[in-house]
Amino acid sequence: MYEKGDPVSSPSGENVITYRWTSGRFVQEYSTHNEYSNAVGGDASPPPARTDPIRTDRCRNRTGHD
């Protein structure tokens, strides 16, 4: 993720989303945002909150078949 004015070589942070394969499809396990400015020498940040899995009952796989 880039804040206004960040050079392309130096993003300010990143979003990390972890998925797991369940019942023939990917389900979001959790996600977090890391601020690089807090990585070293910055204030400690609280652990990320766990997110609810994405509902996949309305999603189709890439072949277009359920």
Side-chain angles (χ1 to χ4, degrees):
M1 304 229 8
Y2 294 91
E3 290 183 12
K4 188 173 184 173
D6 283 348
V8 175
S9 62
S10 301
S12 297
E14 67 178 345
N15 291 324
V16 179
I17 303 172
T18 302
Y19 295 89
R20 64 184 162 87
W21 185 256
T22 300
S23 301
R25 58 186 64 181
F26 285 105
V27 177
Q28 182 175 334
E29 185 74 16
Y30 60 88
S31 65
T32 187
H33 176 77
N34 298 315
E35 283 291 327
Y36 294 146
S37 61
N38 294 336
V40 178
D43 294 335
S45 59
R50 186 179 175 109
T51 59
D52 292 331
I54 294 174
R55 286 189 61 183
T56 57
D57 56 335
R58 297 183 190 166
C59 297
R60 299 176 70 94
N61 66 25
R62 291 181 179 213
T63 64
H65 303 291
D66 289 322

